């Protein structure tokens, strides 16, 4: 089950637009919200909105595995 989830997650991550992949990469590196917002050149609120939208999308795409 975990292997299937990881494979599905990897596939969905590959389908994301470059900015969304960059957000995921920075999150996985353990960067702070402020650090990620700065790296993206956006406000912290803009970053959190985009992150929440991205995570919601991934949850919906992977619902059968969660």
């Amino acid at each position: 089950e975990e292997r299937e989830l990881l494979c599905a997650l990897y596939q969905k991550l590959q389908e994301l637009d470059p900015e969304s992949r960059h957000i995921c990469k920075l999150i996985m590196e353990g960067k702070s919200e402020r650090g990620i917002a700065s790296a993206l050149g956006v406000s912290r609120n803009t970053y959190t909105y985009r992150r929440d939208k991205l995570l919601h999308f991934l949850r919906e795409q992977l619902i059968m595995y969660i």
Side-chain angles (χ1 to χ4, degrees), residues 3-16 21 28 58 62:
R3 183 180 175 125
E4 287 181 36
L5 171 60
L6 289 175
C7 288
L9 176 59
Y10 181 78
Q11 179 182 358
K12 293 302 175 186
L13 290 173
Q14 296 304 312
E15 295 173 8
L16 295 175
R21 274 192 301 235
M28 289 186 278
L58 288 173
L62 302 170

Side-chain angles (χ1 to χ4, degrees), residues 22-24 26-27 33 37-39 45-46 49 54 63:
H22 191 211
I23 289 172
C24 289
L26 294 171
I27 290 170
E33 286 184 357
S38 178
N45 286 340
T46 299
Y49 171 77
L54 168 62
I63 193 77

Side-chain angles (χ1 to χ4, degrees), residues 13-55:
L13 290 173
Q14 296 304 312
E15 295 173 8
L16 295 175
D17 62 90
E19 182 183 66
S20 295
R21 274 192 301 235
H22 191 211
I23 289 172
C24 289
K25 179 179 178 272
L26 294 171
I27 290 170
M28 289 186 278
E29 289 175 358
K31 304 288 185 192
S32 67
E33 286 184 357
R34 190 168 286 146
I36 296 173
S38 178
L40 296 174
V42 298
S43 72
R44 187 173 174 192
N45 286 340
T46 299
Y47 158 69
T48 57
Y49 171 77
R50 291 178 185 175
R51 180 203 60 203
D52 292 348
K53 186 176 170 183
L54 168 62
L55 294 177

